[in-house]
Amino acid sequence: MSTDNDPGHGNSPAAWTAVVIMLVAFSIGTLAFWFNIAWLVFASAGLVVVGLIVGQVLKRLGYGVGGDKLTPTTHS
């Protein structure tokens, strides 16, 4: 199997940071929905958008897959 076309599957600091922020946001949003705290549900939805933006910013700074500040690792 050739690894030349492997996109990296999102294994980068940019992707991990974005996913962690969004997971925290969904967790907060779920609890807020459960306890009927409407403003916190909407705030957590905004935090999901922040996670997307942070991921894109880190990607542009070179921390995404194929970025100049990322050292690729090989999987065996």
Side-chain angles (χ1 to χ4, degrees), residues 2-60:
S2 175
T3 60
D4 294 333
N5 295 328
D6 185 19
H9 305 289
N11 191 11
S12 69
W16 279 102
T17 303
V19 167
V20 167
I21 291 171
M22 289 186 276
L23 281 173
V24 168
F26 275 105
S27 299
I28 292 170
T30 301
L31 287 174
F33 185 79
W34 180 267
F35 289 113
N36 199 19
I37 307 171
W39 68 269
L40 192 54
V41 172
F42 291 110
S44 64
L47 190 57
V48 170
V49 175
V50 169
L52 289 170
I53 293 169
V54 167
Q56 286 298 316
V57 168
L58 286 173
K59 181 180 175 184
R60 290 178 191 240

